[in-house]
Amino acid sequence: MKFINREKEIEILEKEYNKKKASFVVIYGRRRVGKTTIIEKFIEDKRYIYFLADLQNEKLQLERFKNTVAESLNDELLKSIQINDWETLFSYIFQKDYKNKLIIVIDEFQYLAKVNKAIPSIFQSIWDKILKNKNVMLILSGSLISLMYDIALNYASPLYGRRTSQIKLQSMNFFDFKKFFSLSDNDKLLQFYSIVGGIPKYIEFLDENDDVFKNIKENVLNKNSFLYEEPKFILKDEVREPITYFSILQVISQGEHKLGKIASKLGIGTKNLTSFIEKLIELEIIERQVPITEENPAKSKKGFYFIKDNFFKFWFRYVFPYQSYLETEKYDFVIDKIKSDFNLFVSSVFEKVCIDYLLYKDKLPFNIKKIGRWWDKDKEIDIVALGENEILFGECKYWENPVGLNVLNDLIQKSKSVNRNKNKQEYFAIFSKAGFTKELKDLATRKSNILLFSLEEF
């Protein structure tokens, strides 16, 4: 697996390591997002103790941690003695001083807390009594987002206020995703990205030499493949009532985006639905969107809910509803279902990639303050970007044919419905999978406020 991007995260870790005092870093993010890979990259040329926690009995884990410490520090005496608690073991480690900062990593820390609920309090005591004045860097890493938040970041946690830094690891955007491949075909890469999103572990399974549908069949639909039941494992780890969460995600994937309509479809009250929705937002599986021009987004009544994660979106649209067919290996039947509207599915991802293109590639003649979608009743604009004294309206077309003047004219007409300061400089952007007609390109050449972006150049 290539080590792509993550320079900012490595920079944060290096900064913490180079501090003259003790450091305590919490790293968290969903499963498979690459936390362990970053840690391994960071510690590879340093002195460290790395321990991977699990759901074993606490006594067995303590013994395993003790042996890991002994191996890492080349301490034969430690191997032969018995230690019965975490605090004694950390006291033993730091009975001597270390010239170079010693890194101690406990990966999947949340499992220790599952085994013993007192673990956060125990590690608070270890930090306060032993570590905070030593030449040490403690890294606690975990993949159960909600549990890691509760045990390490929540105000009510005993560990709250002890950390010197925290890193929430996000999935990669399309432009970092591309770096995993030698392909120059941006359309094929976009299709791949639409399936698995920016999770490094999932990217490993894609074969760039095969077409997208063969990859889907072998790596997602195949009931023996790694990705076939992955969303089930993630949700079962994170939530107590996975059936309700699965139902919510299925309804959203079928096109219901209003809270009231989702509740109605499920036959439950809106108030009863809210806590489930908030949990899915916390896990970054879904997101709430409001028109970008809303002055108070949190209180807006125009909020819609969408599946944010590409793989969850794909899985709930094409795998979950057809599992009875997949269990009996009717893969071609499901592939035909996918082919029937795959371009429509990819087009929704294309819109997000176009927003990222403007954000990360600095392609506009002004600085972006806010960017997102806009809608009102029967009108919708794919991208609206706001600057200090500028506004941009954008349309994204994942079409097989070049985009023409009619799309631009329609965008200009729709833009008149958007409330904004009339003194703002207006720009119009068209994004296209298959390029543009000669007439549209000629017009864009003459008018500096018309911007054309093709997928080919992304």
Side-chain angles (χ1 to χ4, degrees):
M1 168 61 77
K2 296 178 182 177
F3 188 81
I4 303 292
N5 195 5
R6 308 307 196 193
E7 290 88 357
K8 289 181 181 178
E9 289 82 1
I10 292 291
E11 187 179 323
I12 291 169
L13 292 172
E14 290 289 354
K15 186 176 179 181
E16 288 292 322
Y17 179 75
N18 290 321
K19 285 181 177 178
K20 299 299 182 185
K21 56 184 180 180
S23 302
F24 176 9
V25 182
V26 176
I27 303 176
Y28 66 114
R30 61 174 284 186
R31 294 195 335 166
R32 324 295 189 194
V33 79
K35 297 178 297 299
T36 302
T37 303
I38 284 177
I39 291 169
E40 289 173 347
K41 181 73 173 177
F42 167 66
I43 64 178
E44 63 184 2
D45 59 348
K46 301 175 178 69
R47 192 171 197 185
Y48 65 86
I49 298 166
Y50 174 88
F51 177 73
L52 179 63
D54 56 31
L55 289 171
Q56 272 187 314
N57 171 282
E58 184 185 8
K59 185 177 179 181
L60 294 176
Q61 294 210 66
L62 180 60
E63 178 67 17
R64 191 160 56 83
F65 184 54
K66 185 202 77 168
N67 291 334
T68 300
V69 172
E71 288 288 342
S72 301
L73 300 182
N74 197 23
D75 188 331
E76 292 298 321
L77 175 61
L78 182 57
K79 289 181 182 179
S80 63
I81 63 176
Q82 183 174 340
I83 291 181
N84 297 316
D85 64 86
W86 298 94
E87 197 164 321
T88 300
L89 180 52
F90 275 90
S91 295
Y92 181 93
I93 296 170
F94 287 97
Q95 64 184 335
K96 65 176 183 177
D97 294 324
Y98 296 91
K99 182 179 179 181
N100 296 319
K101 185 173 280 189
L102 178 64
I103 301 169
I104 300 178
V105 179
I106 301 182
D107 204 354
E108 301 296 3
F109 178 72
Q110 77 279 349
Y111 289 136
L112 277 183
K114 272 193 169 187
V115 171
N116 180 359
K117 291 182 180 179
I119 281 291
S121 296
I122 292 169
F123 272 78
Q124 175 211 340
S125 178
I126 289 169
W127 177 259
D128 290 347
K129 293 179 182 178
I130 303 167
L131 300 184
K132 72 176 183 180
N133 294 316
K134 297 294 184 180
N135 196 19
V136 64
M137 181 175 183
L138 176 65
I139 299 176
L140 303 183
S141 174
S143 57
L144 299 186
I145 296 175
S146 53
L147 189 52
M148 280 299 294
Y149 183 83
D150 288 343
I151 64 181
L153 301 170
N154 194 313
Y155 181 79
S157 168
L159 287 171
Y160 182 83
R162 271 73 183 175
R163 72 187 185 279
T164 56
S165 188
Q166 76 277 334
I167 297 172
K168 184 176 184 181
L169 205 57
Q170 307 281 357
S171 61
M172 294 184 175
N173 64 45
F174 175 69
F175 305 99
D176 291 322
F177 172 90
K178 285 178 58 176
K179 297 173 186 175
F180 284 89
F181 303 90
S182 58
L183 287 172
S184 58
D185 183 346
N186 276 347
D187 187 27
K188 186 173 183 179
L189 287 167
L190 177 64
Q191 292 175 16
F192 280 176
Y193 183 66
S194 300
I195 302 165
V196 299
I199 302 297
K201 181 65 178 178
Y202 302 167
I203 297 170
E204 286 184 42
F205 296 102
L206 298 177
D207 186 342
E208 64 182 51
N209 297 311
D210 291 332
D211 70 23
V212 64
F213 297 110
K214 185 174 181 182
N215 272 285
I216 290 170
K217 183 176 180 179
E218 293 183 355
N219 299 309
V220 184
L221 303 185
N222 188 319
K223 64 181 181 179
N224 299 311
S225 66
F226 178 90
L227 294 175
Y228 178 62
E229 293 191 298
E230 176 72 356
K232 290 183 180 181
F233 297 142
I234 291 173
L235 284 174
K236 284 177 181 177
D237 270 348
E238 289 281 7
V239 301
R240 293 178 182 174
E241 301 175 51
I243 293 174
T244 304
Y245 291 96
F246 268 72
S247 301
I248 292 168
L249 289 166
Q250 186 178 15
V251 169
I252 294 174
S253 73
Q254 291 170 345
E256 294 293 357
H257 302 293
K258 290 184 178 179
L259 190 64
K261 288 192 174 182
I262 297 169
S264 176
K265 198 103 174 184
L266 295 172
I268 60 178
T270 303
K271 289 184 179 179
N272 295 330
L273 184 64
T274 304
S275 62
F276 294 101
I277 291 288
E278 288 174 350
K279 186 69 171 181
L280 288 169
I281 291 173
E282 176 191 323
L283 297 175
E284 298 198 343
I285 294 171
I286 70 170
E287 62 184 343
R288 179 176 180 266
Q289 294 183 12
V290 299
I292 195 65
T293 52
E294 290 289 283
E295 292 185 4
N296 194 337
K299 293 185 178 180
S300 173
K301 294 181 179 179
K302 294 183 178 180
F304 283 2
Y305 295 88
F306 297 88
I307 299 179
K308 180 180 181 181
D309 179 89
N310 286 359
F311 181 64
F312 269 77
K313 185 193 296 186
F314 181 89
W315 195 88
F316 274 95
R317 183 156 174 168
Y318 296 119
V319 179
F320 190 57
Y322 298 111
Q323 282 197 299
S324 59
Y325 294 94
L326 297 173
E327 286 295 325
T328 53
E329 300 183 2
K330 294 183 175 66
Y331 301 124
D332 290 337
F333 172 83
V334 180
I335 284 290
D336 287 341
K337 290 287 184 183
I338 296 171
K339 286 180 178 179
S340 68
D341 69 351
F342 189 62
N343 274 8
L344 182 63
F345 177 81
V346 177
S347 69
S348 65
V349 178
F350 181 48
E351 291 176 15
K352 286 189 175 183
V353 170
C354 292
I355 289 175
D356 283 347
Y357 186 66
L358 296 182
L359 278 173
Y360 293 108
K361 297 299 181 180
D362 195 24
K363 291 292 181 178
L364 294 185
F366 62 90
N367 293 321
I368 298 171
K369 290 177 65 179
K370 291 172 67 179
I371 189 169
R373 295 170 60 238
W374 175 90
W375 63 87
D376 184 42
K377 297 177 182 176
D378 61 337
K379 295 184 179 69
E380 181 179 330
I381 299 177
D382 296 335
I383 300 174
V384 174
L386 304 174
E388 194 67 42
N389 299 298
E390 305 87 5
I391 186 167
L392 174 135
F393 305 97
E395 195 77 16
C396 308
K397 295 301 182 186
Y398 190 75
W399 290 355
E400 297 299 328
N401 298 314
V403 175
L405 284 170
N406 60 321
V407 172
L408 174 64
N409 293 333
D410 183 52
L411 175 62
I412 292 171
Q413 195 62 36
K414 286 191 294 185
S415 73
K416 295 175 182 178
S417 301
V418 180
N419 290 327
R420 79 272 192 186
N421 185 335
K422 297 298 181 182
N423 295 322
K424 282 184 178 286
Q425 170 67 47
E426 292 184 349
Y427 293 88
F428 299 92
I430 307 295
F431 298 80
S432 171
K433 168 188 173 181
F436 310 93
T437 62
K438 183 179 184 302
E439 292 79 10
L440 182 54
K441 287 191 284 189
D442 288 345
L443 183 63
T445 302
R446 297 195 303 271
K447 294 194 173 184
S448 60
N449 70 327
I450 296 175
L451 309 173
L452 305 180
F453 303 102
S454 67
L455 176 58
E456 183 182 359
E457 69 189 46
F458 274 19

